[in-house]
Amino acid sequence: MQDLTRLALVGTANVPTDVAASAAVAALLPDASAAATTPINREQRLLWQAGSEALYRSAGRLPERLPLPPPAAPETWAELPAALRRWLSLSRLLELEAIAPWMVERLRAHRRRLPAELLPTVLAEPRTRAIWWPVLGERGRWLAAQHPDWQAALRKLANPDQALDDAAERQRIFDEASLPDRCAALTRQRHIDPALARQWLAAALPAEKAEPRLALVQTLTHQLSADDEPLLESLLADRSQAVRQAAAGLLARLPTSACAQRLAARADACLRWTAAAPTSGGLLGSVSRLLGSNAPQLTVEPPSAIDKSWERDGIAATPPAASYGGAIREGERAFWLRQVLALVPPARWSQQAQANPAQLLPLLQASEWADALLPGLAQAASHFADSDWASALLDLAYAHKNNAKDHCDVLWATLNAEARQRHVIAQLEADQLGRALQGLRAYTEPWPSALTQRVAEAASGAGWGLDKFMQLGNTSAAHEQWGLRIELLNLAALRAADADLPTLALALQRCHSATETALAAAQTQSGIVWHLRQAAKQTDLIQTHLRAKQQFIKELPL
């Protein structure tokens, strides 16, 4: 075959003779002579010969004899109960994907494993393998060991950061690997030895482009301390604005840093509070409080110009162009004011004015510079994790629809658990389901029972049924309302505590029944019928998820 390959590469026009074929193959080749009935040219003969030789060799090759692998180790976990097998059939693995991590944790707690017939399907599909690998059992791990790709995937799933445990390998990854892996290695090193990680970073940054520099600098968020100030201060001279801003944001979190003090001084020049004078008792004090004449006083003076020292501290000089959709470009003074406020802890203003955020925000809202003040404070509340200011800003954003509403997602994420629950329930009671969903998505832990109860009531309330559809008409508003209620129920099925699932199941049954009733009554209105059918399908799936979870709870109680 090597001679045939060489002839094909050189070309038959450059070699006068053909490669001799083996006797067995030569007898099968078409005649290339001029006397043949259907002669073929040399190029055709070469292709015929190569194909025939390859087929001849393949047909004659004996299979390689390999020793059988040792059998799987005896199972140490029992198989899942028979009553649960129907929920983990081949056809339902993807249908129940949303609650699969919950199922896996339940099985692990009871030391139960998947049925053997599911193992090839689970291992062959990366998506299912990533979820179900902890409950494969000994046979599943044995089967994975027979397939190099499966075995490598399971090793990585079992210990995704295994390579980072070794100091030398951690250094090698930081020096040579992809940017995400380098950031992971640097983050791990920050938790082990922050000073050494800082040395790695300082040595590597000069040779990096802007995007990697930014990603690597952001790892300093982990174990941030005053020891990082010299490096971060030097990065304020970086040629990339994004890197300068990242460094300034980190320095702002170090209250004793020179940068934080410079930013605070600039903010104090822009925003000046005068605390309210102590009120006297009696009638005069009551009148003063009633008229608000003794409230804190606010003076706003945005910067009229900035110099290079501001830019060095992460304050961009030029506002971005107007966004798509015709939004008005932000003025320079407002742009500078917003950026400065975003880098100063908002608790500073509470201390200066000797008042809480709820008392100060109406004054900020009334200012002619409110469009810069409120977004800046929202960014600051998020940056410095100030739940009190985030709570008050959410109240104001929803009450007055000011431009702080653009930051509601980060404000929800900043709230502590008590404030978040209070805000969600308030939005549910006001039938503001979209806003409530913003807050509910910020939960990473199971919902409190009181919250699940309110969600169930809101989702199965007056919004379900044909009457609501007829009131809104076949409009996007009607479809959005139904979609929001279904999303609420779906999220509740995933996040509600186990003890609250019966309550949720009853609410879901009411919703499903109302949907079916509305569907039967709206057969002549095609647009409405289509959306109702989609709602019925979605509630069917959510009911399936709830039934599966309830069956697991019954068979595998904790």
Side-chain angles (χ1 to χ4, degrees):
M1 287 295 288
Q2 289 182 349
D3 291 336
L4 289 171
T5 302
R6 189 178 301 109
L7 177 58
L9 291 173
V10 174
T12 55
N14 299 314
V15 180
T17 59
D18 291 326
V19 176
S22 62
V25 171
L28 302 174
L29 294 176
D31 191 353
S33 67
T37 306
T38 55
I40 60 173
N41 58 36
R42 290 182 64 201
E43 292 79 8
Q44 290 174 314
R45 187 181 189 281
L46 173 61
L47 294 174
W48 273 97
Q49 185 178 349
S52 300
E53 290 280 4
L55 184 60
Y56 180 73
R57 293 186 181 197
S58 298
R61 180 179 291 123
L62 294 175
E64 186 179 359
R65 291 184 176 274
L66 296 174
L68 289 174
E75 295 287 1
T76 57
W77 288 15
E79 195 172 291
L80 80 165
L84 298 180
R85 291 179 69 91
R86 72 187 186 95
W87 295 108
L88 295 182
S89 63
L90 290 173
S91 61
R92 281 198 157 169
L93 278 179
L94 292 179
E95 182 185 17
L96 299 177
E97 185 177 17
I99 61 170
W102 179 92
M103 292 176 163
V104 168
E105 290 306 311
R106 203 96 188 178
L107 291 172
R108 289 182 72 175
H110 282 264
R111 296 172 62 83
R112 297 298 185 113
R113 57 182 168 82
L114 290 176
E117 62 268 21
L118 284 180
L119 297 177
T121 300
V122 168
L123 285 167
E125 172 59 48
R127 202 164 67 184
T128 54
R129 187 170 62 218
I131 296 172
W132 295 99
W133 69 269
V135 291
L136 293 174
E138 295 297 336
R139 184 176 296 186
R141 287 185 281 275
W142 175 89
L143 182 59
Q146 314 312 312
H147 192 299
D149 292 343
W150 296 355
Q151 187 175 36
L154 285 194
R155 276 203 201 100
K156 191 166 185 179
L157 288 166
N159 190 352
D161 297 329
Q162 183 176 15
L164 300 180
D165 293 337
D166 179 75
E169 181 63 9
R170 199 161 52 242
Q171 172 81 69
R172 187 199 66 78
I173 291 172
F174 178 74
D175 291 339
E176 303 174 4
S178 65
L179 181 59
D181 289 342
R182 294 178 68 200
C183 290
L186 189 59
T187 299
R188 174 64 69 88
Q189 190 63 39
R190 286 286 292 178
H191 288 281
I192 296 171
D193 186 345
L196 181 57
R198 190 166 53 249
Q199 291 176 19
W200 288 3
L201 181 60
L205 285 176
E208 301 291 344
K209 294 183 179 179
E211 184 178 349
R213 286 203 310 279
L214 175 61
L216 292 170
V217 167
Q218 287 170 333
T219 63
L220 293 177
T221 301
H222 303 277
Q223 306 297 314
L224 181 66
S225 72
D227 293 336
D228 298 315
E229 183 181 357
L231 175 58
L232 288 169
E233 185 74 26
S234 71
L235 291 173
L236 295 178
D238 194 275
R239 56 190 179 275
S240 166
Q241 177 177 291
V243 173
R244 294 196 302 272
Q245 289 177 328
L250 292 169
L251 285 166
R253 294 179 183 174
L254 299 174
T256 60
S257 72
C259 181
Q261 293 172 17
R262 292 193 300 269
L263 291 167
R266 293 180 183 124
D268 286 345
C270 296
L271 209 65
R272 294 189 294 277
W273 290 96
T274 303
T279 57
S280 60
L283 180 60
L284 184 58
S286 300
V287 172
S288 295
R289 287 190 293 271
L290 181 64
L291 297 176
S293 57
N294 202 37
Q297 301 299 308
L298 169 65
T299 303
V300 181
E301 186 61 39
S304 56
I306 66 172
D307 57 29
K308 291 296 182 182
S309 68
W310 289 57
E311 293 185 61
R312 187 177 183 276
D313 287 345
I315 308 298
T318 306
S323 61
Y324 177 79
I328 299 174
R329 178 173 176 171
E330 191 174 17
E332 285 185 339
R333 298 184 72 193
F335 180 57
W336 300 329
L337 174 62
R338 176 172 59 79
Q339 291 180 89
V340 169
L341 290 184
L343 292 172
V344 175
R348 182 180 189 85
W349 314 123
S350 301
Q351 294 165 0
Q352 289 186 2
Q354 298 179 24
N356 62 44
Q359 294 170 314
L360 301 183
L361 282 172
L363 300 174
L364 291 157
Q365 169 80 9
S367 169
E368 63 176 311
W369 296 100
D371 286 347
L373 294 171
L374 298 177
L377 288 167
Q379 291 172 287
S382 172
H383 190 67
F384 295 97
D386 192 315
S387 179
D388 291 340
W389 272 88
S391 178
L393 282 160
L394 266 181
D395 281 335
L396 190 71
Y398 288 142
H400 296 280
K401 298 182 180 179
N402 56 59
N403 60 351
K405 70 181 185 301
D406 296 334
H407 301 276
C408 285
D409 281 337
V410 296
L411 292 175
W412 278 111
T414 305
L415 297 177
N416 59 36
E418 180 183 353
R420 185 182 301 128
Q421 180 173 335
R422 177 174 59 81
H423 277 276
V424 168
I425 289 176
Q427 297 303 328
L428 290 172
E429 290 176 346
D431 203 33
Q432 295 292 336
L433 305 188
R435 297 174 183 176
L437 275 167
Q438 280 185 295
L440 291 168
R441 293 190 194 105
Y443 275 91
T444 56
E445 66 281 355
W447 293 351
S449 295
L451 184 59
T452 301
Q453 179 67 40
R454 295 299 185 93
V455 169
E457 292 170 358
S460 61
W464 286 86
L466 185 61
D467 290 346
K468 185 68 174 181
F469 245 100
M470 296 302 292
Q471 177 185 344
L472 295 174
N474 185 23
T475 63
S476 59
H479 306 151
E480 180 185 11
Q481 284 298 309
W482 283 56
L484 288 172
R485 283 170 165 77
I486 290 171
E487 192 173 350
L488 273 176
L489 290 167
N490 185 53
L491 195 57
L494 300 178
R495 302 281 178 82
D498 294 348
D500 298 320
L501 293 183
T503 298
L504 191 59
L506 288 174
L508 185 60
Q509 181 57 50
R510 289 196 300 271
C511 295
H512 188 71
S513 298
T515 305
E516 294 290 348
T517 301
L519 186 59
Q523 289 300 321
T524 60
Q525 302 181 52
S526 58
I528 293 178
V529 166
W530 186 88
H531 286 282
L532 289 172
R533 283 177 178 163
Q534 297 305 306
K537 287 180 182 179
Q538 290 170 308
T539 52
D540 272 340
L541 180 59
I542 300 171
Q543 282 185 314
T544 299
H545 288 169
L546 283 181
R547 284 194 292 266
K549 290 182 80 168
Q550 289 177 304
Q551 186 74 42
F552 265 69
I553 291 169
K554 177 182 177 182
E555 298 294 329
L556 302 173
L558 296 181

